[in-house]
Structure formats: structure tokens, C-alpha cells
Amino acid sequence: MTTKQIVSTCVYCGAGCQILFTVDTEANRILEATGSEGHSNDGTLCLKGRYGWDFLNDPQILTKRLTSPLLRKNGRQSDLTPVSWDEAVNFVSQRLTDIKKTHGPDSILCTGSARGPGNEANYVMQKFVRACLGTNNVDHCARICHAASVAGLLVSLGSGAMSLSVPEIEEAEVIFNIGYNGPDSHPIVARRIVRARQKGAYIICADPRRTETARIAHKHLQLKGGSNLALANSLAHVIIAENLGDQAFIKDHTKGFDELKKLVQKYTPEYAARITGLNPDEIRATARIYAASKHSVILWGMGVCQFSQGVEVVKALANLGLLTGNFGRRATGVGPVRGQNNVQGACDMGALPNYYPGYQSVTDPAARAKFEAAWGVPLPDKVGLTLTRVPEFVLHPPDKSKQIRAYWIFGEDPAQSDAYLAEMRETLEKLELVIVQDIYMNKTAQYADVILPSTSWGEHDGVYSACDRAFQRIRKLIEPPAGVLTDWEIISRVSTAMGYPMKYRNTEEIWNELINLCPSFKGATYEKLEKLGHIQWPCRSADLSDVGTPFLHRDGNFATKDGKGVFSCAEWQPPVEVENAEYPLTLSTVREVGHYSVRTMTGNCRTLRNLEDEPGWVQMNPKLCNQLGVYHGQLVKISSKRGWCITRCLPTDRVKPDAVYMTYQWWIGACNELTIGSLDPISNTPEYKYCACRVEKIDNQAWAEKYVQNEYQTIRRNMAVTFDRKGGGKAA
Amino acid sequence: MNGYVQGDPLLCIGCRTCMIACVVAHEGKRIFEIDADGYDFHPKLKVIKTWSVSVPVQCKHCENPACQSVCRSEAISRVNGAVIVDREKCIGCKSCAQACPFGAIQMVPLGFETNPDGSRKSVANKCDLCQGLDDGPACQKVCPTAALYFVEQDDIRTILANKRTATVISCLAQ
């Protein structure tokens, strides 16, 4: 056996852990993964990092690896049949050209991918969309997660990313977690919170659930779901009313204080208490503790962003940092901790309808001129469509000429991950052309006209951006299966066939092209990444002395045009769909630590599957369980106005009696059958965290168990799994 | 004195990396290559989550083990500072699982052996401190927050010494 050792970046979550892989080069197999000394992980790994790689061996537990382009030759009703790459590329380019000619470039929307492909592939995709198709209709799953953070922080601070690095969390004195449960979403970031606590930091957690973060916190504010803005505004109220702010910082580095003061006037702790259900004194105490340190950090996640008021809450949290001068030094600031491994990168690369790579606006004539010169074609000046509005623009377009007709879905699975799945399925059915580019068969691929199989993480090179703006290399560990191409090669071939030639020899060539177009990435060359391991942007000079920027806004100089932080605020509004007689409970979607995203990867990892498997769980308060007469492990039916699914009951006093929680990884217990498609007006992020639902007991458990087993087998059949395993449908 | 692995609930984040590590340590790395249902997944420790605590529960390797004293088939013994079950000798009577004051023993089907009626044969499954593995218990090695530690004679002495000091201080404070 010949073995080699290679370090690469983990493909799960934005922590960006460095993993040392031992690979059997003859067998083309990974043998082992252990922690390497990365800047965020310090040699440690969580269960996904350590045991989440055997999907590369294609065990066909949930789905089958794609190894040949597939095409429905005789329309939607016909079967997907293997075709050559030439035929697939011809089909895609021909259909896209036709649709563009007939309906205009804005009738096509393509996604970037925040998962395996890497920054280079995202750059190539958005370049294809803008330069070859001639539209800004490119977006990716940041839209359904941290789009609110990007939009909100750009207004408040001029930069939408974490202002500090992961290791700095450990040096903070106060950590205010709101709508953020690191132990489930980023265990290796949570490790820093745990270590900060050991070093004496005060930990606050605002969450409706008794999460692991809440449990290790000194103060748990168990607020009512959907009341974040009332809490954040009230904290600002207390800081202003009790004169706890940093007056010099407010005067020198911010603007809009008077407007803020006026708006939060009415958010007394007593007023906020009525909305949040918290004790007014707890709100006061939190504000005082937060304001007392110059090393206070606010961390948030989906519990802030996946609400109709996500952007406003993000701004309200930035307000707290601006009021207290908690910016511009080590171990202070704000941390919207990005979920997927490369969701920061897909944003960095401009897989967004309003930005070119490096957050250069498509409406800025100077930026546009620069990209036009580089890419050699005129570029559209209108902001593109966000992907969460695809259902609307397919099913009920505001006018016929604006209808979306073609959707190129690259490394995403909207038929599993997007809110209100019934509507998404209707959308996919109605689209004239659905192109799926992925490593596995998935739920969306069932609706595809053509499937383009690509290399997986572990089979290609590239760069990911971690949640704290750290560029890190991913490296090829094993050879890909015959028949697949790298993502950037696939897109380049289609682009070339459509008359806009793109030819790259490797990812470094793509990387060099893009960093030269982005002043804040310019210094982060492959050569330097090799030497330094990680580089946090901005990194403007290729000189070795520019090692990047661990924290942003040094000395209170913000990234806004005039360098000032902007106070910006809004009134709290209740969630869109509240509890009622028919649907008396609220449903919020949360994370399962051992599974990732839509589960095509971790669902095909043996031990992760053993730990948690279909149909997943619904977390219910024991009181609610008693009331319904259901107990641990029983199958229950859960429904909303939009759909239903069957899952297992998990009684836990960590949730309140009026709220239930499900994780979105499950294909049978698919909570997105229930979730609502209402969007934040600015970020267009759906309100995954709040809708009305009902849980029902199933009397015939034997039937329900059979149903789950049959569903699992059906899913596996639909996912083209070829051999019959004994298991499947058996919950862990 | 027998040592044992203990978790600190203020460090544990409930991620269960330890549970997988336990299985990989006992089943071997081959499990990543073989049929996905061709191995046993029965961690010998289990993470328990309550309102105030998340931490794995596993065998304390008692000095006078209740499990050993109730075992009728001499399947439980003390070897190299650990209380271990001999799966071959175990008759699956479940007495040890009931006798264990900590709930640290589970009855699980191991090794794909079957009973005469075709059902899987269940045996007692518990922590063996990774007997035979080079550098100690696997759960402890992989814990990302270093929440698991191996308690030995000296640690017990320190814990007791600290408690006595705390007692004195609290008495003086009154």
C-alpha cells in the first residue's frame, strides 16, 4: 500500500477546519482524517470533519453518485439516459441560446454553489451568467441563510462579513449569542466559546430553546420566537437611557444616533418584556453586562436571519456594537457566523445578483467598466433576481416578459432546502428548462431536463472562504470517478459552445484572474496561501508582509464610503404567520450537528447515518407530548397550511410547550413541506424560523413505521441506488 | 484503583463525536470500506441531554462492580484496571444491565450472531477503556472541547483535597 498525507479544508460548515488526510493512492481511497493545526480549529475536529468523508466511496446509503451526464431525450416524461459530454453540453448551450433569443437573458437564472465546488467555480459561473448570458440573475443559498447579515451589515458597517476571526472569540470578555447555537451548527467555533468561558468570559444566549449554547451560558434569555428586534432595540434603549455607551466613539465614528435614540425611546425593558416574554430586569442586566466591556462580541446565526425582519435585526445588533465602541480592535465586534463551508466564498465571488466579485456593485459604472474591459463584453447594469423569488417569477410573474424560463441549479437542492416545497415542485415542473449540476442524484434532479455530474470536494483543487474571511486551500485527495468534470470545466464548455470562449488550465489561473479584479483579494495568491495556510481578506498586496486582516474596522474606521458606522433601526413587527385555532403551535427549523445541508453527503457517510437517520425528530415539550398522548420515538404527523410529513417525537424540556423544532436534513420528515415562503423585503430570506403548525398522534404505529420504511426505499429507488441493502428506514 | 473516563458538562457541547469514535475504535477502520450495514454501531457511551446537563454516560469501572457480582456466567471480570465483558461467555440474562447503578450497560446485538429462532443475539455492551488500543480511550482523544478526561487515583486525591479546602473556606466565611 502506498500512502500519502494531504492537508485540506473541511467541506462542512464555515469554521474552515484544516484536516490531515491519509490516502491510499493505489486503492484511490481515504484511510483516515485527523485534525491539522488550522487557524480556526487548532488541531481539533467535530464528528463531520473526522468521520464525514466516506461518501466519496459511494456507499449508496441515501443516493447514488452521478458519473455520466444524463438527459431526458424525449421531453419531461421520458427517462434520464446517459449521454456523452458533447451531447449534454450541446443540449444545454442550444436550449439556453434559444431561450435567451426568444425571451431575453433575464428569463434565465443560475445559482452559485456554497458547498463543494470552491471559489474558482463560483467565479466562473457568475462570469458566464454576466458575460455570456448577459444578465445579473445569479444567486445562491446565502439567500436562504445569511443574506440578511450581508445586506444589514453593508448598510451599518460597509462590510457584510464577520468583523473578527474565530480564534479571537476565545479572547472576548462578553459573548452575546443571539439566534446562534454553535454547538450544533459549528462545533469548532463553539469550542472557542467554551474556552472563552473557561478563561472567564461572560456568556449570554438569547434563544427560545434551551440550546447547548443556552445551557453553558451564564445568562439565558429564553425569549419568544420572532421577538429579536424588540430585544435588540430594548438593549439599545437601556444603553442610551443609562448612559452606558461610548460617547466619544459615537461622536467620532458613527452617524444617525439621534434617529436611533428617537426610535428606541419606546422600547423600555417593560415594553420589550411584553413582546419577548422576558423579565425587564434581565434585559437591563444584559445591556449593562454587554456595555461594560470593550471586548464584547455578538454572534448570530439563522435565529436572526431566517425571519421576515432579519435585516432589521442585523442592523439593530450592529447598533449595539456602535453604541458601545465594540469595533476595531482584537476580540470585539460582530460575528454573523456563516453556515456552509463556502457560503462566504460564493458571496466573495459575486454569485449574487447585485455584486461582481469582491462586493463591487453592478450598478456602479466604474466597477462595471472595469469588468467589461476584463471580460471584453458589455455587461447588464440592472440588479438581478434573487433565487427565493424564482417561484413567484415562474408561477405568477408580474408581467409575462419577466417570467423565468430556465434555471441552472449548481450544487444546490431547492426541492429539499427551500421553504414551502409544494410550491418549489410546482415551480420546477413549470420551468421550461431545468439544469442540475451536482455530485449526487437529489430531489431537484428528479425535475431536471439534463444533469451534469461534477467532481466532489476531495477530487478537485481550489480555495474556500471560511466564515471569518479566511481564504484556505482545498486539495485534491483522490482521483474522481471516470465520466465527471470539474465544475469550472463544465461551465466553461457550455460558455464556449454558446460563443463566449472560456479556457482555463487550472484553478490557479482562474484565481489569478479574479484576484486581479478585486482589490481586497489581490494579495492572496496561491503561493502565499501555500506559505501562510490562511489569508483573511482584505489582503491588498502580494508582498509577503501583507498577511491579511484578522479583524475589520481598525480604530473605528468603517468600510462605508465616509468611514462612519451607521445607526439604522426599525420597529418590531410580529412574524407573518402566527398561531391560530387550527394550527396552535409554532414550528422553527434548526440544525442536526451530525448532518450537513440537504444531506446528500453526510447521509451517505456510514457512521453519521448511524447516529441519526430518517425520518428525523420533532422536538416537543413533555407537556405537549402528554397532552397529545405521544411518547419518545413514536411517529407523529405534523402539518401546516402548506403540507405535512411524518417524523419521530423527541420529548425534551429544552423547548417550550407552544413551539416545536425540526431539522431540515430529513427527506421523509421534511420540515420544508411546512415552512412558509414569506420573505424579508430586503434580503429575500424566507421565514424558516416561524410558522403555525399542528402535531397529531398516529394511532396505527405499525402502519406509520411501514410508511416510513416504504418512503425510504422509494427515495433510494428514485435516487438510482442500485443494490439492495438490508437497512434503510430504520431510525437510529 | 481503576481509572475511568468522565465528562465535564460545562465543556461538553453534546456533539457525540465520542460515540462514533467508540464504534470506530472497536469495529476498526474497515467500516468505512465495507457494506454500510455490515458492522455494528453500538457506542459504549451515550450522551445524555437534560435541561442543565449534556454529557456522556459510561462505565465507572467500579472497584466492587455490581454487574460482576450478579453475572451468572462469569462473563464480567477485572482486567488491567478495567471491568470488561466477555461477549462469548455472556448469556444475555440482562442482570448486569439492571444491576448497574449508572445505566452504563446496554443490551445490544453484537457480531451478527443469531439465536436458534433467527433473531440477533443480544449481549451486554459497556465501556472497556479501549483495552488493547495504544494510546488510551478513543472518546477522550477525539473530543473537540476536551470535555472528557481520564480520572485516576491522583485525580481523586486532588478532587478530595479541593473539596476539603472549599469546606474550610465556606466554614470560615460563615
Side-chain angles (χ1 to χ4, degrees), chain A residues 577-716:
Chain A
E577 183 181 86
V578 294
E579 311 86 299
N580 52 58
E582 203 181 344
Y583 298 105
L585 303 167
T586 65
L587 168 73
S588 176
T589 72
V590 294
R591 298 295 163 268
E592 171 63 54
V593 62
H595 284 291
Y596 174 70
S597 189
V598 291
R599 218 170 108 252
T600 42
M601 293 191 291
T602 54
N604 282 310
C605 291
R606 294 163 171 81
T607 56
L608 298 176
R609 175 280 314 248
N610 287 132
L611 212 52
E612 293 296 347
D613 201 357
E614 298 283 354
W617 303 92
V618 54
Q619 301 173 23
M620 297 165 65
N621 186 279
K623 268 189 207 149
L624 177 63
C625 297
N626 284 341
Q627 208 181 312
L628 296 172
V630 296
Y631 53 84
H632 184 274
Q634 256 195 334
L635 290 163
V636 293
K637 180 181 171 189
I638 174 161
S639 49
S640 78
K641 243 157 77 175
R642 291 158 295 279
W644 62 275
C645 66
I646 285 178
T647 188
R648 285 187 202 282
C649 164
L650 179 67
T652 168
D653 59 359
R654 290 185 173 190
V655 306
K656 289 181 174 179
D658 59 354
V660 299
Y661 296 82
M662 293 172 78
T663 62
Y664 82 115
Q665 281 83 10
W666 310 113
W667 294 29
I668 300 169
C671 59
N672 282 325
E673 296 290 350
L674 281 65
T675 48
I676 187 167
S678 60
L679 306 176
D680 179 293
I682 299 159
S683 69
N684 284 190
T685 305
E687 192 152 60
Y688 287 99
K689 294 290 185 187
Y690 208 102
C691 75
C693 76
R694 178 173 69 213
V695 179
E696 288 163 88
K697 182 186 167 107
I698 300 173
D699 288 321
N700 190 343
Q701 284 291 306
W703 169 84
E705 291 290 351
K706 191 87 196 146
Y707 166 85
V708 168
Q709 244 172 47
N710 288 342
E711 281 296 295
Y712 209 153
Q713 290 308 330
T714 306
I715 287 168
R716 297 182 68 231

Side-chain angles (χ1 to χ4, degrees), chain A residues 114-259:
Chain A
R115 300 176 67 188
N119 284 338
E120 294 85 348
N122 279 284
Y123 171 80
V124 169
M125 178 53 112
Q126 62 82 40
K127 180 177 174 183
F128 163 74
V129 173
R130 295 190 157 110
C132 178
L133 294 179
T135 174
N136 283 312
N137 285 350
V138 59
D139 201 5
H140 71 284
C141 66
R143 191 62 50 204
I144 60 173
C145 65
H146 265 295
S149 301
V150 177
L153 290 184
L154 272 161
V155 172
S156 302
L157 313 174
S159 173
M162 267 179 79
S163 79
L164 72 164
S165 347
V166 169
E168 288 171 52
I169 295 171
E170 196 176 316
E171 299 162 31
E173 289 172 351
V174 177
I175 302 174
F176 177 30
N177 302 275
I178 174 165
Y180 180 57
N181 184 28
D184 278 352
S185 58
H186 313 82
I188 301 303
V189 177
R191 169 180 174 267
R192 299 290 181 170
I193 303 172
V194 168
R195 288 170 66 88
R197 190 189 197 282
Q198 281 180 297
K199 292 177 177 178
Y202 191 90
I203 315 292
I204 304 163
C205 175
D207 203 300
R209 269 194 313 161
R210 183 80 175 170
T211 57
E212 293 296 331
T213 313
R215 188 182 60 76
I216 59 170
H218 296 92
K219 189 181 283 300
H220 177 201
L221 303 171
Q222 199 173 12
L223 77 177
K224 169 133 186 62
S227 67
N228 287 334
L229 192 53
L231 172 65
N233 280 348
S234 189
L235 293 171
H237 171 98
V238 176
I239 290 169
I240 295 169
E242 297 188 5
N243 200 21
L244 307 170
D246 181 335
Q247 301 309 328
F249 190 91
I250 294 170
K251 186 166 156 286
D252 296 342
H253 301 294
T254 72
K255 60 187 185 190
F257 177 75
D258 294 334
E259 291 88 331

Side-chain angles (χ1 to χ4, degrees), chain A residues 29 32 45 47 51 53-54 57 191 194 198 210 212 215 592 606-607 609-610 612 653-654 725 727, chain B residues 9 11-13 15-17 20-21 29 31-34 36-37 39 41 50-54 144:
Chain A
R29 284 278 199 260
E32 192 179 30
L45 291 176
L47 66 173
Y51 304 112
W53 45 265
D54 60 310
N57 298 346
R191 169 180 174 267
V194 168
Q198 281 180 297
R210 183 80 175 170
E212 293 296 331
R215 188 182 60 76
E592 171 63 54
R606 294 163 171 81
T607 56
R609 175 280 314 248
N610 287 132
E612 293 296 347
D653 59 359
R654 290 185 173 190
R725 280 174 35 246
Chain B
L11 302 180
C12 177
I13 54 172
C15 70
R16 296 171 296 168
T17 309
I20 298 182
K29 293 190 180 102
I31 67 175
F32 295 109
E33 298 282 336
I34 60 175
D37 281 337
Y39 61 92
F41 190 86
T50 71
W51 174 263
S52 53
V53 169
S54 290

Side-chain angles (χ1 to χ4, degrees), chain B residues 32-154:
Chain B
F32 295 109
E33 298 282 336
I34 60 175
D35 178 347
D37 281 337
Y39 61 92
D40 288 311
F41 190 86
H42 297 298
K44 297 174 194 293
L45 74 174
K46 185 166 170 51
V47 174
I48 301 298
K49 300 186 180 190
T50 71
W51 174 263
S52 53
V53 169
S54 290
V55 82
V57 168
Q58 65 275 72
C59 175
K60 287 178 175 289
H61 297 277
C62 302
E63 296 301 307
N64 184 8
C67 57
Q68 187 183 10
S69 59
V70 297
C71 180
R72 291 141 207 243
S73 58
E74 295 184 343
I76 300 178
S77 54
R78 285 180 60 168
V79 180
N80 298 331
V83 177
I84 64 167
V85 175
D86 183 339
R87 172 197 307 190
E88 301 304 317
K89 286 187 183 167
C90 177
I91 57 169
C93 74
K94 304 151 192 91
S95 304
C96 58
Q98 291 190 38
C100 174
F102 307 106
I105 301 181
Q106 276 184 300
M107 301 303 296
V108 297
L110 278 177
F112 294 92
E113 282 177 51
T114 52
N115 295 313
D117 68 355
S119 59
R120 295 275 301 273
K121 183 187 166 194
S122 275
V123 292
N125 186 42
K126 65 178 285 302
C127 167
D128 58 4
L129 294 177
C130 290
Q131 287 290 311
L133 289 189
D134 289 342
D135 37 355
C139 53
Q140 187 196 351
K141 273 187 290 182
V142 300
C143 178
T145 54
L148 298 176
Y149 52 99
F150 193 72
V151 182
E152 291 177 281
Q153 180 82 28
D154 286 352

Side-chain angles (χ1 to χ4, degrees), chain A residues 322-465:
Chain A
L322 292 171
L323 280 171
T324 55
N326 265 308
F327 280 113
R329 294 177 308 281
R330 265 190 83 78
T332 183
V334 293
V337 192
R338 310 298 296 253
Q340 294 186 300
N341 60 305
N342 198 35
V343 71
Q344 181 67 51
C347 290
D348 293 349
M349 293 305 112
L352 293 169
N354 54 339
Y355 287 116
Y356 298 122
Y359 305 94
Q360 302 173 81
S361 174
V362 298
T363 57
D364 172 4
R368 196 165 55 248
K370 178 167 79 173
F371 282 92
E372 282 174 343
W375 296 344
V377 286
L379 296 175
D381 59 358
K382 196 170 84 11
V383 169
L385 191 70
T386 57
L387 66 78
T388 42
R389 296 192 72 187
V390 167
E392 178 195 340
F393 276 74
V394 171
L395 301 174
H396 331 279
D399 75 70
K400 206 77 181 144
S401 70
K402 294 197 167 125
Q403 189 174 335
I404 294 289
R405 314 238 169 203
Y407 196 7
W408 185 337
I409 300 155
F410 161 36
E412 298 200 348
D413 190 4
Q416 169 71 12
S417 64
D418 284 23
Y420 191 4
L421 290 182
E423 189 189 50
M424 179 47 71
R425 287 190 289 265
E426 201 187 328
T427 304
L428 291 167
E429 271 167 14
K430 197 177 166 195
L431 279 158
E432 285 171 28
L433 176 64
V434 176
I435 306 161
V436 164
Q437 179 171 331
D438 215 294
I439 58 171
Y440 277 109
M441 278 298 286
N442 61 28
K443 279 188 170 176
T444 308
Q446 311 257 287
Y447 299 87
D449 297 288
V450 57
I451 298 177
L452 308 170
S454 60
T455 50
S456 166
W457 162 89
E459 295 165 353
H460 56 231
D461 289 306
V463 174
Y464 287 168
S465 307

